[in-house]
Every structure is written in structure tokens, then in C-alpha cells.
Amino acid sequence: MRVRCPVPIAALLQSPSTPARQVKQIHAQLLLHDHPPRSSLFFFNSMLLAYASSPNPSDGFSFFATARARFHRPNNFTFQFLLKASARARSLAQAAQVHCSSLKLGFGSYTFLQNGLLKCYCVCGRLVDARQLFDEVPSRDVVAFNTIIHGYAESGDMGSALSLFEQVPDPNPVTWTTMLVGSSAAGNVSAARRLFDSMPEKDLVAWNAMISAYVQNHRPLEALHLFVEMQARNLKPNQVTVATVLSACAAIGALDAGKWIHVYLVKNKFRLDPFLGSALVDMYCKCGIVHLALEVFENLREKNSCTWNALINGLAMNGLAERSLEMFERMLLDQSVRPDEVTFVGVLLACSHGGFVEEGRKHFYHTVKEYGVNLLPEHYACIVDLFARCGLLKEAEDIIRCMPIPPDIVVLRALLGGCRLHKNVDMAERVLSEMEAHGSGDYVLLSNLYASVGRWEDVEKVRGIMKGMGIKKVPGCSSIEINNTIHEFVSGDRSHPKYKEILDKLAELGRKMSTDGYLAETTAALYDIDEEEKEEALGHHSEKLAIGFGLISTEPGTPLRIVKNLRFCNDCHTWSGSKDQAVIPHVEKEKERNRNSVPHQPTPA
């Protein structure tokens, strides 16, 4: 008796949502019959497609090997689905087998098979083989060009990608966008923008790619500016656009822009899935509005590990260490998701910010292993930071010595920060000598440490080393959002049109605070100058300039949110945040804004 291939089964096999377990059940039932179904080749190919789309695409080759004898001669779709399985499995051996078999059976001239082979060789990292095949193809279509250009761009060989790009007879939006993404990944955002501006036709994917290029290269202001331009052209954003722009808002603390996007999502009936929910939670946390992050989190119908991680890490970054650890316990009780590497970064960060040494030890040495999570450099950086902050410098150093992998610069800087905090000059010198790469912050930190203990000759020596190596201190840059416009300030920069008014306001605050007993922490100044000059130097830090501008530009009661590229110095931290020496006594606690009002879109200054 012959068994027909029911249409529902074929449709089931071709659906990408069909579970792999169900595909294997159909395979097993098929093998129980002595004869293949009447629509044998169609059914055979459907099985290959199902395996190629499954989490274990290599199973398709096992099926092909065991069941091929029972079916008719393979056709071009057979090889197409085998190539898809090869590409998803990144198996060069399987791709080579398909290549040889297709040539033997006379399918070598099929364009879509040639393009599939190109993709296989590219994803397997065999660009030389891919280029050889590309050069041998007699008639190359735009898909072939796009595939090989994408391969070069992915590998970072933008020179070869550009050379081929210039040969494309009729590049389509995919061709342009591939070059744009490659230029962005190589860090050449200017080249990416030139490509974007030169595109004869820009689709939504191209706009998303350019916005993402700015965000990934730490230029969030340009990302927001491009989003505003996109809106002006009446282009409707999708989930990818919104999530990317939310990350730009988070990077610069553009709360009003983030709130506008949240309202836009609600009004346009976007489904707040875990992808968008995580982006909103992350944005509100990084803007310091934790209660809105919690509100979004609690109202989400579906949560995944990214959602939990965004909140746990966000609470930790805002200094709410106990609340962060409470959410971690809730995550464990929920049991619908398991903690991963990112989760434990947040947990250890919370322990570091809260000074919970024993809890940090427990999670680092035991809980991580309990959940089968591999320790990453980020975990070591957090635990070293915890011990270093609490003065356990020897234990922190021992952890670094016992690391199974060489410590990266972030781990060593965590220990270096502890040395500066507890004025351990000998260990700081030893740590700096072991660091293979040095940034300006490392030398400045050591210089500050020397200054704090009065070793001014060593301060000058460090600055001499920096000058001789051509290392310049990264200037502090702070931004503040006022009336939907983002203003940036750089330490010592006098170009702002209201610079004099800002200094006057800072001087006025300084006099009032001095009367209340405030004393500047002048050890943060690097030079052996008198105390009055040190106080003046500290007064020109970018965060103070931003605060001064915020005070002269807003009404009393308006919250000021400052985002800075570097860590606040001790003096600025005390000056702006101390409870008994508050710099902004007339600024009340933030009142909840009307969530139903729609703020204007941000305009980058």
C-alpha cells in the first residue's frame, strides 16, 4: 500500500515554526512504510527544508543520506535546501559535498544554486573559494554581488568590498546597505553616512542601518537627529527603529525623547514584546527614572532573560543594590527563564555598589556554577571592583592572579581604582606596569593618586610620560536636555553663548555653599598649585558647567539630568549629590509628569 503525502503534513514541514521534535516524528513514521509517498520528491524536499530550518540543520544531511535511495532523482530544490542547511550549520565539508553533487547531476548552471554556494563559502569564512566561484560564474546577478560584498564586509575587508561595489551594474538598496553596515562595523561612520546620502532609494532597512551605525559608534546625538529627519519625511518606524533610538536616548539621558517614543508606541498600537519592553526598561533606568522602568516591566505580558537582565542591571546602576538582588530572587522563583552571563553581571554589580562582600562571594563562587554560567572578564571586573572598593585589595589581586584567562584592561582598571581610593601607591604602580595597553584614564588615575599623597614630582613624571607617548587626557564631556534640545559641555570649553552667565551662577552657588561649610576636594587637581587655583580648576569641570546651564535655563522644581562620558570626580560628586551640601537646594524632587502628554521630538543642539 502506498501512502499519500497529505497536504497538511507538507505544509507543516515547510512552516518555520514547526518544532524539530515534530519533524523527527514525521521522519520516523515515514521510515515505517515500505514504499515512499506518491508525491515522494516533494515530500522528500519538504523534509529537507524542515531540517534546514530547525535548530539542528545538519540533521538534514543525515536524512538525505538515509532516505535518498527510496526517492526519485534529486532536483534543484533538493540542493537548494541542502545549501541552506550547510550555511546555517556553517559546515564547509557539507557545502563542498553539495557543490560536487550538483555539478555531477548537471545543476551547476542554476543561478540560485551558485548564489547559495557563494553564501555557504562566505559564512564558512572561505572568501578565497567564494571569490573563485564568483569569478567563474558566467552571468552574475545582483544577488551574487551582494553575497560576496557582504562576505568581504563581514570579514572587515572593506577595500575588496568597495572594489566589487563599484562593479555592480545596478546596485539595489541591499547592495548599498551592505556597504553601509560594513563601513560602520569598521568604525568609518563618515563613509557610511556618505553611502547613505548617495543612495538613490532609501528603504526602512537603510534608515535603520544608519541610525544603528551612529548608536554603535557612540554618536547617539546624530542617531536622534536622523530619527527626527526620518519622521519629517513621514517614514513609519518599525520595532528595530524604535529599539535603536531608545538605546540612543539611554546613552545621553534624553528622557523627553524616550517618553515621546513610549507614547508613540502606545498610540500606534505597537505590541510591547520582550524586545521593545527591554529597550524601554533600559532607557528609563539609564535616565534614572526607575519607577517608570518598574512600571513597564510589571505591565509586560511576556518577559524573557533580556527583560529581567535590563531591570536587574538598571537597578544596580542606579545604586538600588538591594532592590536589584530582590529582582534576581524573583527571577529564580519565576523559573520561566534561567539566569545567564548578563544576569550575573548585574548581580555582581549590585553587590559592588552595595558593598555586599559576602553576598558577592556567594554568587561569584557558587551561584554562577549552580546555573552552569561561565565566568567572563566582566564578572571578574565586578568582583574585583567590589573587593577593591571595600579595601580588600590583596584578595582582589589574588582573584586576578588566579584567572584562567589573562585579565583584560577593565579588570585591571577596577583594581587600579581601588588603589586610588585607598591610596595604595605600590600596588597601583605594579598594576600599571602589568597593563599591556594604557589609556589616558590610567595615567590620570595614577597621577591623581600621586597628587593625593603629595608626590608632586611623580605627578610631573607621569605627565611627562604621557606627553612623550603622545597620550592626551580624554576631556570630560557632559550633556543635558533642556526644552527638548540636548546641550553638550566640555571641560574648560568657553564657547557656549551663555558661558559667562553659567560661571556667575556657579560662583553664586559656591559662595552659598562655602557659607554652609562646603570645602572643595582639591586633591582631585593634578598640579601643585595653591588651593584657590585648584578650586577654580574644579569649577570648570563639564558636569558643573552643565548643571550651571540647567539652573539658569529652567524654573525651580525642574529636575536636571546630567550624562557624562567619564566618572564624576570626588569633588563634583560631593558638590552635586551630598545630602547636607546639596548644590541645588531649590530643585524639588521630581514630580510625575503627565504620561498622556506628548512631548516634542528632540532637537540635537
Side-chain angles (χ1 to χ4, degrees):
M1 175 181 177
R2 292 185 180 273
V3 180
R4 295 179 61 86
C5 174
V7 174
I9 293 181
L12 191 65
L13 288 172
Q14 295 180 31
S15 172
S17 60
T18 302
R21 177 177 52 82
Q22 198 166 3
V23 174
K24 289 186 176 182
Q25 287 176 349
I26 297 173
H27 184 181
Q29 290 173 5
L30 173 68
L31 295 178
L32 291 175
H33 301 290
D34 294 332
H35 301 284
R38 291 181 180 177
S39 304
S40 58
L41 188 55
F42 176 75
F43 186 62
F44 180 65
N45 289 341
S46 296
M47 285 293 299
L48 286 178
L49 176 59
Y51 275 124
S53 305
S54 73
N56 300 305
S58 292
D59 289 345
F61 281 86
S62 300
F63 171 76
F64 179 77
T66 57
R68 179 182 175 184
R70 304 179 58 202
F71 292 89
H72 297 298
R73 182 176 182 269
N75 63 6
N76 54 333
F77 292 106
T78 308
F79 292 108
Q80 181 181 348
F81 300 148
L82 286 172
L83 285 174
K84 179 178 180 179
S86 302
R88 293 195 67 240
R90 296 180 181 271
S91 172
L92 180 63
Q94 292 173 353
Q97 289 176 9
V98 177
H99 193 176
C100 293
S101 298
S102 63
L103 289 175
K104 286 181 181 179
L105 294 175
F107 295 108
S109 60
Y110 282 73
T111 302
F112 61 87
L113 286 181
Q114 293 168 344
N115 292 340
L117 281 167
L118 275 176
K119 181 178 180 181
C120 283
Y121 286 133
C122 286
V123 298
C124 292
R126 297 301 293 262
L127 286 172
V128 174
D129 295 330
R131 184 57 187 266
Q132 182 178 346
L133 176 62
F134 177 83
D135 291 336
E136 292 173 354
V137 173
S139 57
R140 297 185 287 263
D141 60 6
V142 69
V143 176
F145 273 101
N146 291 348
T147 302
I148 193 72
I149 288 173
H150 179 75
Y152 280 128
E154 281 275 293
S155 68
D157 186 358
M158 290 307 298
S160 298
L162 180 60
S163 176
L164 274 179
F165 175 72
E166 293 171 346
Q167 299 175 37
V168 183
D170 187 20
N172 61 15
V174 175
T175 320
W176 288 90
T177 305
T178 300
M179 287 296 299
L180 189 160
V181 173
S183 299
S184 168
N188 194 343
V189 189
S190 299
R193 185 56 194 260
R194 285 195 298 271
L195 285 162
F196 179 78
D197 292 337
S198 301
M199 290 180 68
E201 181 184 349
K202 301 180 184 72
D203 58 9
L204 183 58
V205 176
W207 283 89
N208 287 348
M210 192 64 239
I211 292 172
S212 178
Y214 280 132
V215 173
Q216 291 173 0
N217 285 276
H218 311 292
R219 292 166 66 171
L221 273 176
E222 286 92 336
L224 285 177
H225 185 84
L226 193 61
F227 178 67
V228 172
E229 183 181 339
M230 179 181 172
Q231 291 286 288
R233 298 192 183 195
N234 294 320
L235 288 170
K236 187 176 181 180
N238 61 8
Q239 280 192 324
V240 176
T241 321
V242 172
T244 307
V245 174
L246 283 172
S247 66
C249 295
I252 53 177
L255 178 63
D256 285 342
K259 281 187 172 181
W260 183 91
I261 293 170
H262 191 175
V263 174
Y264 179 89
L265 290 173
V266 174
K267 285 194 169 185
N268 288 273
K269 295 181 171 53
F270 276 75
R271 188 174 75 89
L272 280 185
D273 58 7
F275 178 64
L276 284 180
S278 301
L280 278 171
V281 169
D282 180 67
M283 183 275 295
Y284 280 129
C285 282
K286 287 180 178 175
C287 288
I289 313 301
V290 175
H291 68 280
L292 290 184
L294 286 165
E295 182 180 316
V296 170
F297 178 84
E298 298 295 352
N299 288 332
L300 286 175
R301 295 181 179 179
E302 182 185 354
K303 303 177 181 69
N304 62 11
S305 59
C306 293
T307 319
W308 284 95
N309 291 345
L311 186 62
I312 291 171
N313 280 268
L315 291 170
M317 285 189 296
N318 279 277
L320 301 174
E322 292 184 358
R323 191 70 185 275
S324 176
L325 295 174
E326 287 172 7
M327 294 305 298
F328 174 64
E329 294 299 326
R330 267 187 62 184
M331 180 183 183
L332 298 183
L333 292 173
D334 184 87
Q335 294 186 342
S336 61
V337 291
R338 285 179 63 85
D340 57 17
E341 288 82 359
V342 180
T343 313
F344 282 101
V345 170
V347 169
L348 293 174
L349 184 65
C351 293
S352 176
H353 282 204
F356 305 141
V357 175
E358 292 307 318
E359 183 129 12
R361 281 199 183 100
K362 180 187 76 172
H363 291 306
F364 182 77
Y365 289 111
H366 302 293
T367 316
V368 170
K369 294 179 181 177
E370 179 183 342
Y371 286 93
V373 173
N374 294 321
L375 288 172
L376 303 176
E378 290 83 357
H379 300 126
Y380 285 99
C382 288
I383 196 68
V384 168
D385 185 62
L386 166 61
F387 290 153
R389 282 173 182 264
C390 295
L392 303 173
L393 296 177
K394 182 64 171 61
E395 188 171 353
E397 188 177 26
D398 290 342
I399 286 178
I400 294 177
R401 303 295 179 205
C402 296
M403 285 178 63
I405 54 177
D408 64 9
I409 198 165
V410 178
V411 176
L412 293 172
R413 281 175 179 168
L415 181 57
L416 198 59
C419 294
R420 190 237 185 253
L421 183 64
H422 296 283
K423 299 183 179 181
N424 190 323
V425 178
D426 293 338
M427 184 178 288
E429 290 175 333
R430 187 166 63 251
V431 171
L432 194 63
S433 67
E434 294 177 3
M435 294 171 68
E436 294 181 0
H438 305 294
S440 64
D442 305 317
Y443 286 105
V444 170
L445 195 150
L446 182 62
S447 182
N448 284 345
L449 177 54
Y450 284 140
S452 68
V453 295
R455 291 172 54 171
W456 300 107
E457 290 183 3
D458 290 322
V459 170
E460 292 299 329
K461 186 184 298 183
V462 170
R463 295 188 63 82
I465 293 173
M466 292 176 65
K467 186 176 180 180
M469 298 178 64
I471 299 175
K472 294 183 179 180
K473 181 181 182 297
V474 176
C477 178
S478 299
S479 62
I480 182 172
E481 184 182 22
I482 301 292
N483 296 327
N484 305 305
T485 301
I486 297 166
H487 298 262
E488 285 190 329
F489 294 87
V490 178
S491 294
D493 183 17
R494 306 187 179 196
S495 62
H496 197 279
K498 293 190 176 182
Y499 181 75
K500 186 177 183 306
E501 296 175 53
I502 293 171
L503 288 191
D504 290 342
K505 173 56 72 174
L506 293 178
E508 175 190 339
L509 284 171
R511 289 191 295 271
K512 291 180 179 179
M513 293 172 68
S514 296
T515 303
D516 293 338
Y518 166 76
L519 293 175
E521 293 192 36
T522 54
T523 55
L526 296 182
Y527 293 105
D528 187 12
I529 54 179
D530 60 45
E531 296 301 306
E532 186 177 346
E533 288 176 314
K534 288 181 182 180
E535 289 190 22
E536 183 179 351
L538 292 171
H540 293 175
H541 282 185
S542 64
E543 54 268 47
K544 289 183 179 177
L545 296 175
I547 291 173
F549 176 70
L551 291 175
I552 66 175
S553 305
T554 60
E555 295 295 326
T558 303
L560 304 179
R561 294 180 185 83
I562 313 299
V563 177
K564 190 179 179 185
N565 63 331
L566 305 175
R567 187 184 292 252
F568 272 36
C569 74
N570 288 344
D571 176 71
C572 288
H573 189 274
T574 303
W575 186 86
S576 60
S578 175
K579 291 182 180 179
D580 56 346
Q581 297 176 348
V583 63
I584 317 174
H586 69 286
V587 176
E588 302 171 353
K589 290 184 178 180
E590 179 184 10
K591 298 178 180 179
E592 176 65 24
R593 297 188 181 186
N594 185 357
R595 287 286 303 277
N596 296 321
S597 63
V598 182
H600 296 293
Q601 294 187 50
T603 304

